[in-house]
Amino acid sequence: MHLPQIEHSQSNMTLSGQAEAVEPRDRGYILRIARLIGWLVIGAILVWRIVVMGMAEYYAREAPEEALAWEARHSLALRNQGERLLAGAPERATQLLQESLWQNPADGRTYALLALLRERAGNVDAARQLMERASLLAPRLWPVQLEIAAFWLRQRELERAVQSWDTALQMQRALSKEIFPALLGIAEYPSLRPVLHPLAQSAPAWWPAFFTYAAVNTAQLETLRDLYHAAGETTATTEERRAFISRLQREGHWLEAYFTWLNALDEAALQGLGNLFNGHFEQPLSNGGFGWHFKRPRGVEINTAPTYGMEGKRALRVAFLGQRVRFQHLSQPLLLPPGRYQMEGNVRLDNLETTKGLRWVVSCLTPAQPRLAASEYFVGASLWRRFNFSFDVPKEECAAQLLRLELEGRAPADFEARGVAWFDSLAIGRITESTLARNSAPSD
């Protein structure tokens, strides 16, 4: 009779148990939804922030005012907008630049721009302090270094300007087109030239290129001479020495050029000294000073190489590849005192085909360049054999001479050549009366 009540009670208990079991699950579900919504909100904020910063960064350089509309505290946009207002609204420019420094206190360019404003306002002491700060913070930013150099020039502090130019050139070698003429302008004044001596002594990577520029463009040889000796002759690079010697030769200072070149030779090279240097071709072709000068025109190969029958380890090889070329591309300057000389050497021809031939020519190194003598024509094929010819060096207007290997001809077709000429053991000796007597004496 009481079963319905029992069933009803059990049913209530079951429903109550289910309710108790469902309630924790619903709470966890809500928490998970809440967390998900929170992450979505945070993500949306981050995405929006990225968009804002990206747009600000995009406009900061070209349209800083628009960039500031996206991000009012963007340091680059503040700086660039301030720079645009330097001339027209200096007070607003100062405010923007100071705000930029609040956001990025390590920006050297901002300090430099503030320095310009202080300078224009007549507050030179503040400008100097700001420029010094800019130099410390932007040692690798060449545009800032150029602005700093211009400031120190206006303040007539040449040493500081040169230091900034040095820093800029080390970062950007292409600035040489702008800075080298300014440095040379300083060097041309004897009273200002000592400012460049520390650079000559420390020799930054760009200095040899500047010295070469000065060697070509300076109006005064003394300018170049002073810069060369400021660093000390023993520390000059090969590039600097070659440029200095070339300028000395061009101006006719042959002895100074010769001793400058001589002082740089090592022991092995000194063994090749004589009236003709490196005539055995055991040393590399130096292409400078009083050694062998050469160019490689199209269709000609010039080098030294081992070959059969030579004296020593190497011989000169000049190979013609069948193209038309007015060959005068191997030479050596000489310093022969007035007198009579004989040049001799060994030659071997490997099927050298040309209209007239190849020959050695000696001329005076003067504007007129009169020819003193020439060897026989070398053409055809031969084993190693000896050749020689004599010439006279006059007393007047022939302080230096040039020995040059030339392909002779008149018509264009004469300068087509094919084959190889080898030379070895070249020497130039002075002919004296005792030499003539010795050569003319009968042999036993």
Side-chain angles (χ1 to χ4, degrees), residues 181 183-190 193 210-225 227 247 250-251 253:
L183 291 174
L184 183 57
I186 294 171
E188 297 282 20
Y189 289 90
R193 197 179 300 145
F210 167 70
F211 187 89
T212 301
Y213 171 86
V216 174
N217 294 282
T218 181
Q220 309 171 65
L221 177 60
E222 186 56 35
T223 298
L224 195 68
R225 186 182 282 121
L227 293 176
R247 180 61 185 265
R250 191 163 69 248
E251 298 217 4
H253 296 266

Side-chain angles (χ1 to χ4, degrees), residues 255 275 334-342 362 364 372 391-401 428-433:
L255 284 178
N275 291 328
L334 308 172
L335 281 183
L336 303 175
R340 186 162 182 78
Y341 295 86
Q342 176 176 277
V362 180
C364 290
L372 299 179
F391 59 93
D392 293 300
V393 175
K395 295 181 180 180
E396 303 294 334
E397 297 186 354
C398 198
Q401 307 82 35
I428 295 177
R430 187 160 188 171
I431 301 175
T432 62
E433 293 183 0

Side-chain angles (χ1 to χ4, degrees), residues 173 176 180 203-217 224 227-228 231-250 260-261 264 286-289 293:
R173 294 288 293 274
S176 59
F180 281 7
W206 56 266
W207 179 260
F210 167 70
F211 187 89
T212 301
Y213 171 86
V216 174
N217 294 282
L224 195 68
L227 293 176
Y228 183 79
E233 188 172 344
T234 57
T235 60
T237 65
T238 301
E239 183 180 353
E240 292 173 67
R241 187 177 298 108
R242 182 180 290 118
F244 183 48
I245 293 172
S246 179
R247 180 61 185 265
L248 290 171
Q249 291 174 329
R250 191 163 69 248
T260 301
W261 170 76
S286 59
N287 213 19
H293 294 244

Side-chain angles (χ1 to χ4, degrees), residues 79-94 96-97 109-110 112-118 120 147:
R79 188 193 76 188
N80 289 344
Q81 182 65 7
E83 185 175 4
R84 292 187 173 195
L85 299 175
L86 284 178
E91 293 183 1
R92 177 58 178 160
T94 300
L96 290 168
L97 293 172
R109 183 170 176 78
T110 305
L113 294 173
L114 280 171
L116 291 176
L117 289 168
R118 296 290 187 271
R120 292 173 184 176
E147 292 178 3

Side-chain angles (χ1 to χ4, degrees), residues 271-322:
Q271 296 177 2
L273 280 178
N275 291 328
L276 181 66
F277 176 70
N278 193 21
H280 290 268
F281 303 100
E282 299 301 308
Q283 297 296 315
L285 304 180
S286 59
N287 213 19
F290 288 81
W292 291 107
H293 294 244
F294 67 97
K295 297 179 182 179
R296 292 188 174 94
R298 186 179 62 180
V300 182
E301 295 178 354
I302 301 173
N303 63 333
T304 62
T307 185
Y308 71 88
M310 62 185 177
E311 297 180 7
K313 297 180 179 179
R314 308 183 76 83
L316 174 67
R317 175 181 175 270
V318 183
F320 294 90
L321 307 181

Side-chain angles (χ1 to χ4, degrees), residues 88-153:
E91 293 183 1
R92 177 58 178 160
T94 300
Q95 180 185 359
L96 290 168
L97 293 172
Q98 288 175 338
E99 290 179 10
S100 177
L101 282 181
W102 277 108
Q103 304 302 320
N104 184 10
D107 185 12
R109 183 170 176 78
T110 305
Y111 282 100
L113 294 173
L114 280 171
L116 291 176
L117 289 168
R118 296 290 187 271
E119 181 188 15
R120 292 173 184 176
N123 192 346
V124 177
D125 289 339
R128 291 168 63 90
Q129 293 176 7
L130 288 166
M131 277 299 183
E132 289 172 352
R133 185 70 174 170
S135 183
L136 288 173
L137 292 174
R140 301 181 66 85
L141 297 178
W142 61 264
V144 178
Q145 291 298 326
L146 291 181
E147 292 178 3
I148 295 171
F151 172 81
W152 292 122
L153 282 178

